[in-house]
Amino acid sequence: MSASCGAPPGRSASVWPVNDARVLRFPDGFRWGAATSAHQVEGGNTRNDWWRFEATPGAIRGGRGSGDACRHYERFEEDFDLAAADGHTAHRLSLEWSRLEPEPGRFDPAEVAHYHAVLGALRARGMEPVVTLHHFTNPLWIADRGGWESRETIDRFVAFARFCAAEFGAEVDWWCTVNEPEVFAFRGWAEGVWPPAVRDRSRALVVIAHQLEAHGRAYRAIHEADRVDADGDGHAARVGFAKHHVQLEALRAWHPLDRLVAHFERRVFNEAVERAAVDGRIALEIPCARAVRRDVPELKGALDWFGLNYYTRWRVQAFAEPPHVATPGAPVNDLGWEVWPDGLRRALHAAGRTGAPVLVTENGVADAHDALRPRAIVEFAEAMHRAIAEGVPVRGYLHWSLLDNFEWADGWHGRFGLYGVDERDPGAPRVRRRSAEVFARLARANAVTPDVREAAGLA
Ligand code: GAL
């Protein structure tokens, strides 16, 4: 597919009068782009723990695993053409550990060359790479040696981070060590719906702590290994991690137990993780689980930027199934998650309290028919604009996702793409959604303009 993909040129914000109150301008240099992760889009990641897990009967909704995914491993150039034509100036992706290091300490030159080609393709199109080193998947050899419950994995991950920083540092300035330690741990070790399918909350807390410690130590390793300022902006490496901030509130505001449980969940899921990277103090406590408390010196201040992933709000109901529900009557996406744009503004304030500049590393809507997403993109941008006006230092926004992709245990049911992909025919042309056009106008204008609102059907 050609780079233009039928996209109209779009207008810069300068065509609107400076004092036009309908135009919400973002700061100069604000980054707009999309986010993906290797396993969800590449296809053929046979050497990681998710590939093995996907073969377990009943593990994946609908039964279809990642398979060829979006064939992005082969099609990355044309996918980046689409993003570039839509005015994206940044792109978040992950390096697949199991490809780069298929056996302990042995790095595969062909895969190293592949990722150089990927990063080069982004830079050639004027898109700044934001590179995640751990996005949920693990090489089989890591999983089989105890995975993230083992302290050895911390050492192995730090060595991997050091390797990547030295190898790719000339192409990358924005490094994201780990993605969502709390989601990774709770899904895999508490709910048991992701590998390694353990149901033990105490062990989940150990995993969060290990990922945080790994972040702190990788932060130092990356700064030592990457001294090349790829963008010429005075920073050789900027290192952060991505945190999933979910809004958790009592279902029944009057109910003391709903409020208490929501309070505990907020504390362990959001606040403890956000604070740990600032003061180096890990303090993870939930009822009926062994608390994890320790100070990690390398973690203190290990934050050049904070990556915020925001999707939804859950209402908490104590001692009931399911424990989390959407706000009754609120709009929900295809996975039943409430679409609540003001939650992004609030989450940005929480992120800003770390004192670090913030990148929105994920935000989006599972919406196969693109019914809610065009409007939601505008409303999320408006909420982010308010947060910036209120003083939160937000540097960019990476929409989840460029393409429909393999949505973990939900299989192919959550369709988050600006572009549609048919997983039964991942070689077919990507299908441009109206959302891609809304986002393109937003990115090109670096502002919410009447044009953007019109494309979203809001004018
Ligand atoms: C995040 C995750 C992504 C993607 C997204 C949508 O938790 O980092 O990989 O799956 O949710 O559910």
Side-chain angles (χ1 to χ4, degrees):
M1 205 180 279
S2 80
S4 67
C5 192
R11 293 190 252 174
S12 106
S14 58
V15 303
W16 306 97
V18 181
N19 56 359
D20 188 332
R22 296 170 309 164
V23 177
L24 305 178
R25 291 185 164 76
F26 284 85
D28 286 347
F30 193 82
R31 296 162 183 84
W32 295 97
T36 61
S37 88
H39 189 71
Q40 293 178 274
V41 295
E42 285 181 348
N45 278 317
T46 57
R47 291 182 290 211
N48 71 32
D49 53 350
W50 264 90
W51 187 272
R52 181 167 64 191
F53 178 73
E54 288 160 29
T56 316
I60 306 297
R61 186 172 167 194
R64 180 185 281 271
S66 57
D68 284 342
C70 309
R71 280 212 195 133
H72 180 71
Y73 189 83
E74 289 85 24
R75 300 186 63 183
F76 65 90
E77 299 213 43
E78 52 184 306
D79 291 336
F80 295 163
D81 282 344
L82 301 176
D86 285 345
H88 298 204
T89 54
H91 184 78
R92 177 174 177 227
L93 77 165
S94 72
L95 304 179
E96 174 59 33
W97 187 2
S98 66
R99 285 189 187 272
L100 285 166
E101 192 179 0
E103 291 160 31
R106 184 179 73 78
F107 290 89
D108 183 332
E111 298 291 1
V112 170
H114 171 79
Y115 286 114
H116 277 301
V118 169
L119 296 167
L122 283 176
R123 301 201 75 88
R125 288 163 179 76
M127 289 187 283
E128 198 167 8
V130 176
V131 174
T132 309
L133 294 170
H134 188 270
H135 198 122
F136 299 157
T137 57
N138 298 292
L140 285 169
W141 60 267
I142 284 283
D144 292 342
R145 291 171 179 223
W148 282 90
E149 282 181 81
S150 158
R151 292 196 58 80
E152 192 197 332
T153 294
I154 305 176
D155 301 337
R156 294 286 187 181
F157 176 73
V158 173
F160 172 67
R162 187 183 296 279
F163 171 85
C164 292
E167 181 65 44
F168 302 110
E171 291 141 306
V172 180
D173 282 345
W174 292 80
W175 294 100
C176 175
T177 55
V178 293
N179 182 64
E180 302 185 344
E182 62 298 318
V183 172
F184 174 68
F186 278 113
R187 288 243 191 268
W189 281 265
E191 296 165 31
V193 294
W194 287 4
V198 169
R199 292 173 75 95
D200 180 332
R201 287 146 63 99
S202 299
R203 288 165 70 182
L205 297 186
V206 168
V207 169
I208 299 179
H210 283 175
Q211 283 234 314
L212 287 170
E213 186 167 342
H215 164 74
R217 288 177 48 197
Y219 175 93
R220 317 277 153 192
I222 293 168
H223 275 293
E224 279 162 24
D226 174 8
R227 308 246 180 219
V228 188
D229 178 359
D231 302 323
D233 63 357
H235 296 270
R238 304 174 194 237
V239 187
F241 76 106
K243 165 81 186 73
H244 186 114
H245 187 103
V246 63
Q247 304 293 359
L248 292 154
E249 290 174 19
L251 176 63
R252 297 158 293 183
W254 50 268
H255 199 296
L257 286 178
D258 285 5
R259 292 163 66 110
L260 189 70
V261 175
H263 162 79
F264 270 113
E265 292 190 350
R266 275 197 302 269
R267 213 169 67 171
V268 69
F269 196 88
N270 291 334
E271 292 153 20
V273 175
E274 285 156 11
R275 227 190 23 230
V278 176
D279 61 16
R281 311 211 106 154
I282 297 180
L284 302 166
E285 297 167 56
I286 37 176
C288 312
R290 261 188 318 283
V292 179
R293 284 191 213 95
R294 66 170 179 274
D295 288 355
V296 177
E298 295 96 329
L299 191 53
K300 190 171 175 184
L303 212 51
D304 300 330
W305 56 276
F306 185 91
L308 173 70
N309 295 356
Y310 170 76
Y311 289 91
T312 194
R313 158 168 67 183
W314 288 113
R315 298 288 184 172
V316 178
Q317 45 178 353
F319 304 112
E321 269 307 316
H324 298 131
V325 293
T327 304
V332 295
N333 76 12
D334 291 348
L335 296 172
W337 307 357
E338 178 180 356
V339 180
W340 187 45
D342 197 52
L344 174 60
R345 184 184 67 82
R346 294 171 193 222
L348 284 166
H349 276 283
R353 284 194 282 277
T354 62
V358 182
L359 264 192
V360 176
T361 33
E362 288 182 30
N363 168 241
V365 185
D367 184 13
H369 302 294
D370 211 31
L372 298 176
R373 191 189 296 105
R375 179 190 184 119
I377 287 173
V378 175
E379 290 174 348
F380 281 126
E382 289 171 348
M384 182 165 63
H385 190 270
R386 268 201 301 285
I388 295 171
E390 289 161 358
V392 183
V394 189
R395 301 287 188 257
Y397 173 94
L398 299 159
H399 188 79
W400 186 271
S401 181
L402 181 62
L403 307 169
D404 286 345
N405 59 49
F406 174 66
E407 181 49 30
W408 310 112
D410 278 309
W412 291 88
H413 286 269
R415 296 189 178 267
F416 283 91
L418 295 172
Y419 285 81
V421 172
D422 180 352
E423 66 280 10
R424 287 156 305 183
D425 189 10
R430 313 307 194 194
V431 178
R432 191 167 197 266
R433 295 198 168 117
R434 189 152 63 99
S435 287
E437 175 59 23
V438 173
F439 193 77
R441 292 189 189 198
L442 181 60
R444 288 193 203 110
N446 194 28
V448 178
T449 64
D451 262 2
V452 174
R453 296 179 63 82
E454 180 195 291
L458 285 166

